[in-house]
Amino acid sequence: MSVRVGSTRRGFLTVTGAAAALALAGDLPGVGQALAGATGRGDRRDPFTLGVASGDPLPDAVVIWTRLAPDPLTPFGGMNRRPVEVGWQVAEDPRFRRIVRQGTTQARPEASHTVHIDVRGLRPWREYWYRFRVNGKLSPVGRTRTAPAPNAVVDEMSLAFASCQAWWEGWYTAYADMAKREHDVVFFLGDYIYEFGIDRGIRPHSNEPWMTQQTVTLDEYRVRYASYKMDPDLQAAHASAPWVVTLDDHEVVDNWADEAHPSAPPAQFLVRRANAFRAYWEHMPLRLAQLPKGPDMQLYRRIKYGRLAEFSVLDTRQYRSDQAYGDGSKAPGPETKDPARSITGAAQEKWLLDGWAASPARWNVLAQQNALARLDVKEGPEVLVPMDTWDGYEASRNRILGAAYERKLRNLVSIGGDLHRSVASDLKLDFTNPDSPTVGTEFVGTSISSAMDGMDLDPGGVTLMKENPHIKFGNFQRGYVSCSITPQRWISDYRVVDKVSIPNGTVSTRAKLLVEDNRPGIQIL
């Protein structure tokens, strides 16, 4: 399916009308600025029911976030439709005896009373603590950390990455474990919410209207985010470290591709996409640079950790060609190999490769949504691969892995999600030839809760391991990945939960996987 992007987007405001244009406009006066505003008095309800978060660390800055929502599962979160003054503080200690930055801003109804403060003037590679104040009430305290100076020599850093947190399918025990580890940074790689209505669920209140109806309008997306962010373990993980986020499909609708989705004509789908993007930005610790302009949002960006690691955060939804052969798992063919088709779009691909050409980093990391490695899901000589992953966009994959090989890019590592299973692979220059050079390493993490308890290795996992010799590890339990990185080695610790169908399951390490500097390929410790 081919859609003319320019003509459809030019018609966006005509389709939505003036009221929608105002509701979805990119300019939100006062967001992130220190302005005086009206404050509500006498309201005894907790305005910080959705917790706090920080994100996108720079050497001298970090974004801190909260949303005022005393009644979070109602439109506007139970707030009056007027601006509210919010105080904020950043300190060098958790008791706020050494406050280094503070100010006031307005939480405005246009942004669902969210607050995004881009705190500048901080010191590189330092821990900080932050909090907010509204009408005499203090928020929970969050911990964050800035990135190192651009040319700093970093001896070690820690990160976690996660994806796919279907609220109704399990408890967020993995997040409780993640929060205790206090990583330097957390990457969330997509499917923060699920948009569809459900008719089942293991959690209490799974059958409430705010979970059983599909999200289409801006208010519906806002309530869906609020329902997820009320979870205390998710709040603890957000408050434990800065997050770097990107979205996948379910933040909008299952398996969307650019302007294409079978649920609606492109012009109508753009309205839904704009609603979804707006609610996403409102609920994530993102800068104003990521504020959507209608149905468009600039999400791909770089996060650098001195000379140790450079993270290229991708957006493989907004610019991709429609899925080949009608989606699903199909045999590779001329359409998957077509060089005119792309999963990133030409501009993002050029941005990525240009960045690699200039990278001084020891570890060059793709933080992206799904599996870059080939995934033959059919046992036997017939090959079937999923069209929604990089397998459906072979030319894109070949250009990126080919460029890494030709330029001798140092230590390419891909981290991904989406599969609801753990899959760790050697990235081959040619996946059809096991003797082909290994270009890099991929760690795909399982889901936080999506697909419920799972098992160590299901039949699908057995097939993947048998049919794909480049896959070195697989698992079908829930959890996340915790990584330790030094100049000499990268260790990925696959943390799994025995059961997410009950609260307080047991978290353990299922596998530790090692990659050594200048030696691509996985070693199992």
Side-chain angles (χ1 to χ4, degrees):
M1 178 176 179
S2 178
V3 177
R4 290 188 63 195
V5 173
S7 60
T8 305
R9 288 180 184 160
R10 281 195 295 272
F12 174 75
L13 294 182
T14 304
V15 173
T16 59
L22 287 173
L24 299 171
D27 295 327
L28 297 182
V31 177
Q33 299 176 9
L35 299 176
T39 59
R41 299 290 177 185
D43 190 342
R44 298 181 180 274
R45 299 175 299 170
D46 178 13
F48 299 110
T49 58
L50 305 183
V52 300
S54 68
D56 275 21
L58 301 175
D60 65 342
V62 71
V63 177
I64 60 174
W65 172 95
T66 194
R67 178 187 170 195
L68 309 184
D71 191 2
L73 299 180
T74 62
F76 285 89
M79 295 291 292
N80 292 326
R81 298 189 182 187
R82 63 183 181 187
V84 175
E85 188 175 77
V86 180
W88 56 272
Q89 295 177 321
V90 176
E92 293 180 330
D93 67 294
R95 295 187 178 183
F96 290 82
R97 291 172 176 168
R98 299 188 303 278
I99 295 171
V100 295
R101 291 290 183 273
Q102 60 184 329
T104 60
T105 190
Q106 283 190 333
R108 301 183 63 92
E110 301 98 310
S112 199
H113 292 96
T114 59
V115 174
H116 300 71
I117 304 296
D118 192 354
V119 184
R120 297 281 171 165
L122 303 176
R123 293 191 290 176
W125 207 218
R126 298 295 178 117
E127 280 188 307
Y128 291 96
W129 287 262
Y130 61 94
R131 66 186 179 187
F132 301 89
R133 183 191 299 268
V134 172
N135 203 19
K137 299 180 179 68
L138 285 173
S139 74
V141 173
R143 169 193 173 270
T144 193
R145 184 161 189 169
T146 53
N151 292 313
V153 176
V154 179
D155 293 332
E156 186 171 11
M157 70 171 291
S158 66
L159 67 87
F161 65 91
S163 63
C164 305
Q165 53 183 33
W167 178 89
W168 73 93
E169 288 200 318
W171 298 85
Y172 288 170
T173 308
Y175 278 138
D177 184 75
M178 182 189 293
K180 294 174 185 175
R181 293 192 162 208
E182 293 191 338
H183 297 86
D184 295 321
V185 64
V186 173
F187 288 84
F188 190 86
L189 303 176
D191 294 346
Y192 194 97
I193 63 166
Y194 284 75
E195 83 293 350
F196 50 80
I198 64 166
D199 57 5
R200 56 184 168 80
I202 65 170
R203 292 228 205 183
H205 310 296
S206 292
N207 61 346
E208 296 289 342
W210 40 265
M211 194 58 70
T212 57
Q213 65 187 19
Q214 187 170 180
T215 57
V216 176
T217 70
L218 179 55
D219 277 345
E220 288 166 348
Y221 279 108
R222 284 169 167 169
V223 170
R224 187 63 55 91
Y225 277 100
S227 67
Y228 278 57
K229 293 183 81 72
M230 290 171 64
D231 183 272
D233 292 327
L234 176 57
Q235 289 188 20
H238 269 298
S240 71
W243 282 39
V244 176
V245 300
T246 188
L247 54 71
D248 195 17
D249 55 339
H250 287 289
E251 287 89 350
V252 182
V253 63
D254 184 36
N255 281 18
W256 66 280
D258 193 10
E259 297 184 357
H261 194 265
S263 63
Q268 293 180 21
F269 173 65
L270 282 181
V271 179
R272 183 178 188 179
R273 197 176 98 178
N275 290 335
F277 281 9
R278 177 61 172 270
Y280 180 79
W281 181 86
E282 287 177 349
H283 289 86
M284 297 295 119
L286 290 166
R287 287 191 164 81
L288 286 175
Q290 278 65 59
L291 179 67
K293 294 177 175 61
D296 298 306
M297 178 167 51
Q298 175 64 50
L299 264 182
Y300 64 85
R301 59 206 190 278
R302 288 191 182 88
I303 305 291
K304 300 181 180 183
Y305 276 74
R307 300 181 70 85
L308 180 63
E310 181 172 297
F311 299 88
S312 298
V313 182
L314 300 190
D315 176 351
T316 60
R317 284 288 161 193
Q318 201 173 168
Y319 315 104
R320 68 160 64 192
S321 307
D322 202 3
Q323 287 88 348
Y325 301 116
D327 210 351
S329 291
K330 305 289 174 56
E335 197 170 341
T336 65
K337 303 176 193 300
D338 183 355
R341 298 180 67 258
S342 174
I343 195 171
T344 62
Q348 184 176 192
E349 182 179 303
K350 183 179 186 302
W351 165 87
L352 174 64
L353 300 186
D354 287 350
W356 281 355
S359 173
R362 182 70 59 98
W363 300 91
N364 289 278
V365 188
L366 288 177
Q368 50 94 32
Q369 288 74 6
N370 45 49
L372 186 60
R374 191 185 202 198
L375 303 176
D376 180 4
V377 300
K378 176 72 171 177
E379 187 171 357
E382 184 183 5
V383 174
L384 296 181
V385 294
M387 295 294 103
D388 192 56
T389 74
W390 290 77
D391 273 323
Y393 304 84
E394 290 184 69
S396 278
R397 178 170 65 197
N398 291 342
R399 286 192 297 268
I400 286 172
L401 293 181
Y405 180 71
E406 291 167 6
R407 299 177 188 189
K408 296 181 171 56
L409 183 71
R410 191 162 186 171
N411 297 329
L412 171 63
V413 175
S414 169
I415 58 176
D418 185 59
L419 302 182
H420 302 175
R421 63 173 69 247
S422 300
V423 179
S425 307
D426 293 346
L427 294 176
K428 309 295 285 187
L429 189 63
D430 178 1
F431 285 101
T432 66
N433 178 10
D435 296 325
S436 175
T438 298
V439 179
T441 307
E442 178 164 72
F443 300 110
V444 173
T446 186
S447 62
I448 290 289
S449 56
S450 304
M452 298 185 284
D453 288 336
M455 61 191 73
D456 186 65
L457 200 61
D458 65 326
V462 172
T463 298
L464 282 174
M465 297 289 290
K466 183 183 296 185
E467 298 299 318
N468 302 277
H470 50 275
I471 296 179
K472 305 303 179 183
F473 169 73
N475 175 267
F476 190 53
Q477 292 170 286
R478 311 284 73 81
Y480 73 101
V481 185
S482 177
C483 304
S484 172
I485 309 166
T486 72
Q488 290 76 39
R489 51 101 181 111
W490 177 305
I491 294 177
S492 286
D493 183 344
Y494 276 81
R495 302 285 288 169
V496 300
V497 186
D498 64 339
K499 289 182 180 295
V500 296
S501 55
I502 58 172
N504 304 314
T506 300
V507 184
S508 62
T509 291
R510 174 59 184 82
K512 279 185 179 289
L513 307 180
L514 167 69
V515 180
E516 294 180 298
D517 176 38
N518 267 337
R519 188 182 174 187
I522 293 170
Q523 303 173 54
I524 299 177
L525 297 178

